[in-house]
């Protein structure tokens, strides 16, 4: 594919609006903010959701540790202050992606309510969808996909959420998906159904 | 418009690649990094370029002071250290937008070579297009669209680029556009021609 070769550009002071981008993409720009313990399944759901949206022709993009912690936020650690700044920046970047008409999906533990509220405050009203990825701590620790719980129990990782640092579950998330007893396909189906039922997948 | 309602999603571990996004959009994801003095015309060119690309059916998005300095980088001032961190973060965000398959256009003075090189280093090889928006200081000061030069001359703004802080012009930018003697439409035409000639507008 190639963009149009037409050279009949109309020069004016027009700035492309969010509404125009959304109409062009056929869906709203919004943030699906996944929050939950390490090992709860956030990254798995984020990637599957991105792919499912992609298969539907939507523009979706995952912001996660791989592309944010190693880049934009590589100067930050895991102290409460650094976690707060980490989430603040991600909230701002997510809002930029939403403004660009993209369904962005964030996959960060984001353990503090106040920080998630800050991220929500960056977003246009109604374009921030907080999804609690709910999973028992025991199950997360059993999965331990990165071996982090083992290290945390051994005292090798300080301030590890759920072990030596708090996780503040949201009081009123837009959606809760339970990954303890359900397959990720079902969890992603629930998120898609939420997006569809609430008008995010049309514009 | 609405995204497809089809529910025949194929579940797999697939992650949507940059190449797939670019093929879908019909153009590459890349950063058009405008650099130049205050008043040189960066924001004007950025917005006109975004609109021109939009009219061609491309996905383009401007990162500028309006949406970055007041959001992601609102904790930063104009000291050399803060300018460096400002540009570092913008470089990282620009790289994320490129990775998402979007033509992103940045409009920041970005006076230091080393900082622009840091931004370039965030980008995939060949996807960072540095454009010097060249304009005589006298002309910038004559335009003074925000009245900043006047304030800087009166000593009300410390560390003002071109007056009391240095501007390091790039040695080997991908492109130079001169806004002193040319209309912005012509400058944007030059940038579009560069993008087209170098394959950025097809994928």
């Amino acid at each position: 594919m190639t963009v149009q070769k037409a050279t009949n550009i109309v020069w004016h002071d027009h700035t492309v609006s969010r509404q125009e981008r959304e109409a062009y993409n056929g869906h709203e720009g919004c943030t699906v903010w996944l929050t939950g313990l390490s090992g709860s399944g956030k990254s798995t759901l984020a990637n599957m959701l991105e792919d499912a949206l992609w298969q539907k022709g939507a523009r979706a993009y995952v912001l996660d540790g791989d592309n944010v912690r190693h880049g934009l936020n590589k100067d930050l650690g895991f102290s409460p202050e650094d976690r707060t700044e980490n989430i603040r920046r991600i909230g701002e970047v997510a809002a930029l992606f939403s403004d660009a008409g993209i369904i962005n999906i964030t996959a960060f533990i984001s353990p503090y309510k106040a920080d998630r509220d800050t991220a929500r405050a960056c977003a246009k009203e109604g374009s921030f969808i907080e999804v609690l990825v709910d999973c028992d701590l025991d199950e997360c620790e059993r999965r331990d996909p990165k071996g982090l719980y083992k290290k945390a129990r051994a005292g090798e990782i300080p301030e590890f959420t759920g072990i030596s640092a708090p996780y503040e579950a949201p009081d009123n998330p837009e959606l809760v998906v339970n990954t303890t007893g359900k397959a990720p396909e079902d969890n992603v189906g629930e998120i898609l159904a939420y997006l569809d039922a609430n008008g995010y997948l049309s514009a």
Side-chain angles (χ1 to χ4, degrees), chain A:
Chain A
M1 270 179 74
T2 295
V3 299
Q4 293 169 39
K5 292 284 178 192
T7 54
N8 55 338
I9 291 161
V10 183
W11 299 106
H12 44 47
D13 284 337
H14 172 248
T15 306
V16 186
S17 72
R18 177 170 181 159
Q19 205 171 10
E20 286 172 302
R21 295 175 193 282
E22 292 176 333
Y24 189 26
N25 287 347
H27 58 75
E28 293 195 13
C30 60
T31 298
V32 178
W33 188 282
L34 306 179
T35 173
L37 296 170
S38 178
S40 60
K42 298 181 299 301
S43 293
T44 300
L45 297 189
N47 289 323
M48 289 176 67
L49 178 60
E50 179 191 66
D51 189 46
L53 286 165
W54 168 260
Q55 288 187 54
K56 287 171 171 285
R59 261 77 183 173
Y61 190 69
V62 172
L63 296 167
D64 65 9
D66 286 343
N67 58 14
V68 172
R69 271 277 184 195
H70 300 164
L72 177 65
N73 292 354
K74 66 183 173 191
D75 57 324
L76 302 174
F78 291 89
S79 69
E81 297 71 27
D82 278 9
R83 282 180 190 260
T84 293
E85 175 63 6
N86 181 53
I87 298 303
R88 185 191 74 80
R89 291 187 201 166
I90 294 161
E92 294 285 4
V93 172
L96 289 172
F97 272 89
S98 291
D99 187 53
I102 291 166
I103 301 174
N104 52 95
I105 307 152
T106 68
F108 298 90
I109 298 171
S110 49
Y112 301 123
K113 276 183 200 175
D115 295 348
R116 296 191 304 267
D117 287 346
T118 300
R120 182 186 291 271
C122 298
K124 189 184 128 193
E125 174 107 32
S127 73
F128 188 89
I129 302 141
E130 191 174 356
V131 179
L132 172 60
V133 181
D134 196 19
C135 186
D136 298 340
L137 178 61
D138 287 352
E139 171 65 13
C140 292
E141 194 161 355
R142 194 191 61 72
R143 295 176 185 169
D144 204 8
K146 299 173 191 166
L148 297 175
Y149 283 96
K150 202 173 169 187
K151 287 186 184 174
R153 290 289 185 194
E156 292 167 29
I157 306 176
E159 304 183 283
F160 191 80
T161 300
I163 305 293
S164 48
Y167 177 75
E168 301 173 359
D171 291 323
N172 290 299
E174 273 72 11
L175 189 65
V176 179
V177 294
N178 189 303
T179 66
T180 306
K182 278 190 182 167
E185 291 79 359
D186 296 329
N187 297 136
V188 174
E190 290 170 332
I191 301 173
L192 285 172
Y194 180 89
L195 294 176
D196 193 22
N198 289 276
Y200 292 101
L201 301 186
S202 55

